[in-house]
Amino acid sequence: MSGARANPEPAGLPVLVEAEQIARCVGELAAAIAADYDTGEPLLIVAVLKGVVIFLADLVRRLPMPLEIDLVQARSYGGTERGDRVELLGDVAAMDLAGRHVLLLDCVLDSGHTLSVVRDALAVRGPASLKTCVLFSKDRAREYDLVPDYVGMTIPDVFVVGYGLDCADRWRHLPHVAWLPADAQEGTA
Ligand code: IMP
Ligand code: MG
């Protein structure tokens, strides 16, 4: 595709959530998590790559309790609707979760498919507790049985990039979240 709208520069994308608003939201999430996990026992945060990286870095630096970080990567085939396959990369089978307090972290909840697959894979490994946290939850119906324990903010059901979220691995580095119109997605898939 050619033309001005193809692969627009970051500054050309409409801002949906300002960086300052995201920072406030991460602070509120950190306060809520810190209040719930004040037992002194270490928390294990399992974060879902790659979209989570900037949220993870910002959140953990605001958490006062002892914690460890582990990472999984999820890849979905054929989109993200019901019936599509989500494959987990990373050694989930090697994770020793027995007796651990686990917080599963992702940047955005869309259909809920990805997070439900990761949650189910962790749940069978015997954690003492397993909660989920997303920074952004899309305002849409979900066919998957997943209600996150912590939600930063609800956003419109549109495709967004920035603050870790990508389209074809682009735009993750934006400090804010931008709406990526359909015509700007063309040629990037
Ligand atoms: P799910 O539909 O909840 O399974 O979301 C699947 C994955 O698609 C998420 O973990 C994100 O990595 C990605 N995703 C969903 N919505 C967006 C978006 O608006 N922008 C960028 N990535 C997204
Ligand atoms: Mg992506």
Side-chain angles (χ1 to χ4, degrees):
M1 170 162 177
S2 61
R5 290 305 296 276
N7 303 333
E9 290 304 307
L13 297 176
V15 177
L16 200 66
V17 191
E18 299 280 1
E20 295 73 19
Q21 205 180 336
I22 298 173
R24 273 198 305 278
C25 187
V26 173
E28 287 164 12
L29 275 177
I33 293 166
D36 289 351
Y37 293 91
D38 65 349
T39 60
E41 286 182 71
L43 174 64
L44 175 60
I45 293 185
V46 177
V48 185
L49 292 171
K50 299 179 192 173
V52 80
V53 288
I54 296 176
F55 174 40
L56 173 67
D58 282 349
L59 181 75
V60 293
R61 285 179 294 169
R62 288 168 169 263
L63 291 176
M65 77 285 269
L67 64 82
E68 295 163 27
I69 298 168
D70 215 332
L71 303 167
V72 291
Q73 187 161 6
R75 193 163 58 190
S76 51
Y77 292 96
T80 54
E81 296 308 317
R82 181 173 275 283
D84 295 337
R85 221 176 97 225
V86 172
E87 184 190 18
L88 296 188
L89 313 172
D91 212 352
V92 178
M95 284 184 189
D96 184 9
L97 304 184
R100 301 298 307 270
H101 293 285
V102 177
L103 181 62
L104 174 59
L105 202 70
D106 203 352
C107 193
V108 66
L109 186 70
D110 189 8
S111 70
H113 193 183
T114 304
L115 213 53
S116 65
V117 167
V118 182
R119 177 204 53 195
D120 294 350
L122 301 182
V124 296
R125 310 204 62 76
S129 68
L130 176 58
K131 289 189 178 182
T132 52
C133 172
V134 296
L135 179 56
F136 303 116
S137 174
K138 289 198 189 175
D139 189 11
R140 56 165 286 185
R142 270 179 266 283
E143 309 110 65
Y144 293 89
D145 159 38
L146 194 134
V147 180
D149 298 281
Y150 305 94
V151 174
M153 68 177 85
T154 301
I155 61 169
D157 185 15
V158 295
F159 197 86
V160 293
V161 292
Y163 200 72
L165 296 172
D166 74 306
C167 179
D169 267 319
R170 297 190 58 202
W171 294 295
R172 292 190 195 277
H173 60 105
L174 301 185
H176 55 267
V177 165
W179 168 50
L180 192 67
D183 59 345
Q185 295 172 37
E186 286 171 28
T188 57

